[in-house]
Amino acid sequence: MTSTHSIRESDFLAESTRSGVASSDWGQIQQRSQQVAPGLSLTSLQCETRRDLRVIPDRPPEAAAWVMAVSLTGHSCFETTSGIQWLFKPASHSWGLRTGHKGVRHYPAGQRISQLRLVLAPELANHYLGPVSRLLSGKISQPISNTLALSRAAQQLLHNHAHLSPLTLHQASLELLQLALPAEGSHVARSSGMVHVLALIHAGQADRLSVAELARYAGLSVRRFKQAFHEQTRQGVLQYIQQQRMLRGLQLLRQGWRVSQVAYQLGYEHPNNFSAAFLRYFGHAPRDTVVGKVA
């Protein structure tokens, strides 16, 4: 009979994020996490278990977020302290609203587990998911069988995401999100051209492009592009670009960047211009965001 090995979550994460594949007596694991865009991140997990493994939480609960998990191979389970189970089965995907609950992860012995998780901030759910977020109602869905297209897209991301450019990574993540959602109600871009435009914006490469130039990237007339863009984002093109620019600035400030550094990173000619735009958008000066830092 195979014994069960228990490991603290902090130790599990420390082993799984080392360069290369970490090996232990219970098996091997490799896990990578990347931010795709503000409020959207991607985590890949590849694990081979020789013993039953229980990962015990010992860290503060993570922030609430929508999670779309694609399981390619292997069985595993996440069980919250309230008894809710999130099952992962081969060739399936599931949706759930992570509400900050702690839980135990179970990895049975003899498994080769490959998983991808897209994690989405709740405030962006309506933008990315549209009415689908209301249909899911915050519950963890039962595993849904992957389509061939979804499995192929997930496989490519699993093996290549660490080497993709930010623009390509964002585009591939949006395409995976689109494939995993029901067709009705999704605000995820339906055409590769619009996906490319959104990826340009989130990567900060559209700040100096005109609406006409973005329309050409999307392969649409300016009028049709504006209509399609508003249908998918519920905002105008320039309004959305400015929103994403400010969100990137806020993220950099929270990471400890100085105001002047953020201003030049975002393409402002003078920090005062950035500070004025930031104040208009958020209602407070960027200096106030950087707690304990001198701007």
Side-chain angles (χ1 to χ4, degrees), residues 3-265:
S3 61
T4 298
H5 178 75
S6 296
I7 184 173
R8 293 182 304 174
E9 184 181 15
S10 56
D11 294 334
F12 178 79
L13 292 174
E15 291 192 25
S16 66
T17 53
R18 292 173 187 162
S19 59
V21 179
S23 298
S24 298
D25 60 346
W26 53 263
Q28 296 180 332
I29 184 169
Q30 185 176 50
Q31 179 170 291
R32 290 193 178 98
S33 295
Q34 290 177 266
Q35 183 174 40
V36 176
L40 179 65
S41 63
L42 174 72
T43 297
S44 66
L45 171 70
Q46 293 179 280
C47 181
E48 183 176 343
T49 56
R50 290 189 284 269
R51 300 167 60 185
D52 289 341
L53 179 65
R54 295 174 72 246
V55 181
I56 310 299
D58 66 340
R59 305 186 311 151
E62 296 180 274
W66 283 99
V67 180
M68 190 275 286
V70 181
S71 181
L72 295 168
T73 61
H75 292 264
S76 63
C77 173
F78 176 74
E79 184 174 0
T80 69
T81 51
S82 58
I84 299 174
Q85 288 190 337
W86 194 341
L87 303 176
F88 301 92
K89 299 179 179 180
S92 67
H93 65 281
S94 52
W95 279 92
L97 181 61
R98 184 181 69 197
T99 55
H101 294 302
K102 289 186 176 182
V104 177
R105 299 185 183 275
H106 300 270
Y107 299 93
Q111 297 289 312
R112 291 178 178 268
I113 299 166
S114 298
Q115 295 175 359
L116 275 177
R117 292 193 295 272
L118 277 172
V119 181
L120 178 65
E123 61 269 21
L124 296 179
N126 187 60
H127 165 58
Y128 281 103
L129 310 182
V132 174
S133 62
R134 294 191 293 274
L135 294 175
L136 293 173
S137 303
K139 299 177 182 178
I140 295 174
S141 68
Q142 292 299 312
I144 306 164
S145 295
N146 295 339
T147 63
L148 181 59
L150 177 58
S151 291
R152 285 176 175 172
Q155 283 280 8
Q156 291 177 351
L157 258 182
L158 180 71
H159 296 296
N160 300 322
H161 71 90
H163 310 293
L164 297 178
S165 68
L167 181 61
T168 305
L169 175 63
H170 188 255
Q171 183 172 351
S173 298
L174 287 181
E175 290 173 347
L176 184 67
L177 196 61
Q178 176 182 335
L179 290 168
L181 284 173
E184 63 276 7
S186 172
H187 289 180
V188 177
R190 297 294 178 192
S191 70
S192 59
M194 190 62 76
V195 168
H196 185 54
V197 167
L198 288 173
L200 281 172
I201 293 172
H202 288 116
Q205 299 181 19
D207 295 347
R208 297 183 180 276
L209 297 178
S210 67
V211 174
E213 288 172 317
L214 291 173
R216 284 197 293 272
Y217 273 110
L220 300 170
S221 68
V222 172
R223 180 180 178 183
R224 180 67 190 109
F225 171 68
K226 288 181 177 180
Q227 291 175 339
F229 194 93
H230 190 271
E231 288 172 1
Q232 293 180 23
T233 67
R234 299 299 188 263
Q235 297 183 57
V237 179
L238 298 181
Q239 178 187 8
Y240 187 80
I241 290 174
Q242 181 66 357
Q243 177 198 67
Q244 295 303 311
R245 197 181 192 189
M246 290 296 100
L247 289 174
R248 290 198 308 276
L250 179 64
Q251 178 190 4
L252 294 175
L253 290 168
R254 286 175 172 170
Q255 291 175 359
W257 286 43
R258 293 193 297 271
V259 173
S260 58
Q261 292 175 314
V262 176
Y264 294 129
Q265 176 69 20

